[in-house]
Amino acid sequence: GIVTSAFFTALISLIKYVADPEDSLPTIVYWLLGSFNGASAREVAYVALPVALAGTVLLKMRHVINILSLGDEEARALGLRVGVSRWAVLGASALLIAATVSVSGIVGWVGLIVPHIARMLTGPNHARLLTVSMLIGAIYMIAMDTLARSASYGEIPIGILTALVGAPLFGVLLFRVQRQGWRHD
């Protein structure tokens, strides 16, 4: 992950370096920081079908995801076609992520923090976890967008706020897990 991240960060830096500083560079930087500022009904219409399709696939496969989390050998013993199932989950997840990032830019830490919070509330069963993650994610993003629009004179890119909240929160969660072990209370 670190190697891949470093490589693509270098490519992004190269693109920023050669971009027109008056026109393209601000757009690139703004997209890299994430924002809902340009959100419109038109953009919602663009992503509605892929998000609905991918979300439906993931919700329908929630029990399959539970089985996949047992490990390949156990999943095969339960009659699951592991490769096909894994690719279906990964494909639906990638479609969902690509659609949302295409209109909002990169908004980091949400996919890392929200599922951990949802898991602490619901436990590991994906039948509940996926729905609760979606709900918490929506509430979290509305709260961050409200903060982004009202915290200063200009709108703060939402990706900055989610990182400022997400990184320390993830540190606390990581410390808690290392100290106490993962438990569902």
Side-chain angles (χ1 to χ4, degrees):
I2 293 171
V3 172
T4 304
S5 176
F7 177 75
F8 285 106
T9 299
L11 288 178
I12 289 171
S13 296
L14 178 63
I15 291 169
K16 290 181 350 187
Y17 178 74
V18 299
D20 175 20
E22 299 298 321
D23 183 42
S24 301
L25 185 59
T27 304
I28 293 168
V29 170
Y30 204 67
W31 184 80
L32 289 170
L33 297 175
S35 176
F36 296 153
N37 187 30
S40 67
R42 181 178 176 198
E43 288 173 332
V44 171
Y46 283 144
V47 300
L49 182 61
V51 167
L53 178 66
T56 301
V57 168
L58 290 172
L59 286 173
K60 290 215 177 264
M61 294 189 73
R62 63 191 182 272
H63 301 295
V64 171
I65 298 170
N66 281 338
I67 295 170
L68 285 171
S69 68
L70 297 173
D72 289 0
E73 191 174 315
E74 289 82 0
R76 279 189 198 93
L78 291 170
L80 189 67
R81 292 174 48 201
V82 174
V84 172
S85 299
R86 182 176 290 121
W87 280 109
V89 170
L90 289 173
S93 298
L95 178 61
L96 189 63
I97 293 164
T100 56
V101 169
S102 73
V103 296
S104 65
I106 299 170
V107 180
W109 292 92
V110 178
L112 192 59
I113 296 301
V114 169
H116 279 82
I117 293 169
R119 187 178 299 268
M120 289 181 351
L121 295 173
T122 67
N125 184 351
H126 287 85
R128 291 185 308 270
L129 182 60
L130 287 174
T131 306
V132 172
S133 288
M134 289 178 190
L135 181 60
I136 292 172
I139 292 168
Y140 180 66
M141 292 313 301
I142 290 169
M144 289 293 105
D145 186 49
T146 301
L147 184 60
R149 292 171 190 264
S150 60
S152 72
Y153 178 70
E155 181 178 345
I156 299 169
I158 198 164
I160 292 172
L161 292 178
T162 57
L164 286 172
V165 172
L169 184 57
F170 187 72
V172 168
L173 291 173
L174 186 61
F175 178 75
R176 178 182 172 211
V177 168
Q178 287 179 341
R179 193 165 156 234
Q180 300 175 358
W182 186 263
R183 305 187 299 206
H184 174 63
D185 297 327

